Amino acid sequence: MCNPCTQKLEETFRRMAVGQNFQTPDALLGRPFTIDMISPISVHITPQNITITRAAFFETLHYLHSNGHISSNPCSIESSNEPNASGPLCQASRAQNGNVRCINYILPILENYNFVSINSQRQNSVWLM
């Protein structure tokens, strides 16, 4: 496994707490969500009623790391409910989450721990810190 990604994943799961509030990345259409359950293998959020696997968090970090997405090379988020209309980052995370879109929830959590930075203006983008 990718050691930098594994370390960030472990720290994220160690620091997350039930009741933490976040907002999805888009400045115009961002929606609030709350972590309401954390297990060793997943996180559940409300009010969207979505479970996000640990593997989806890892794949998000690994995709950004493997493709050199830093501040000088941001990654377009391209989230979509339609799998075929979503971009590579969204597809990578959802492939590890039962094909359920989850990138909009993973990124704000990772940003909270200073692992990524998000540009919430259109076209939304993200990069590793």
Side-chain angles (χ1 to χ4, degrees):
M1 288 197 109
C2 175
N3 195 40
C5 298
T6 300
Q7 288 176 353
K8 289 174 182 162
L9 175 69
E10 294 300 325
E11 187 171 342
T12 298
F13 268 73
R14 202 170 36 255
R15 294 173 69 187
M16 274 191 289
V18 170
Q20 283 182 302
N21 297 305
F22 300 94
Q23 181 158 325
T24 58
D26 191 86
L28 294 175
L29 299 175
R31 299 286 184 257
F33 67 95
T34 302
I35 295 174
D36 75 338
M37 187 279 303
I38 303 167
S39 82
I41 60 168
S42 65
V43 174
H44 188 266
I45 60 158
T46 58
Q48 292 81 355
N49 193 28
I50 294 174
T51 298
I52 306 168
T53 66
R54 186 182 192 101
F57 278 88
F58 177 83
E59 191 59 33
T60 298
L61 288 163
H62 192 63
Y63 181 91
L64 295 170
H65 178 77
S66 297
N67 291 285
H69 289 297
I70 57 174
S71 61
S72 61
N73 182 33
C75 177
S76 180
I77 296 173
E78 298 180 67
S79 175
S80 176
N81 285 327
E82 294 297 321
N84 295 335
S86 60
L89 177 62
C90 183
Q91 289 178 13
S93 64
R94 76 188 309 146
Q96 298 299 318
N97 202 54
N99 204 30
V100 174
R101 182 176 57 100
C102 56
I103 197 67
N104 293 347
Y105 312 109
I106 292 172
L107 293 176
I109 293 170
L110 293 176
E111 183 180 49
N112 188 64
Y113 304 118
N114 298 313
F115 294 134
V116 302
S117 188
I118 300 170
N119 174 3
S120 295
Q121 303 304 310
R122 299 278 173 99
Q123 171 140 4
N124 309 136
S125 60
V126 61
W127 56 92
L128 290 170
M129 299 288 286

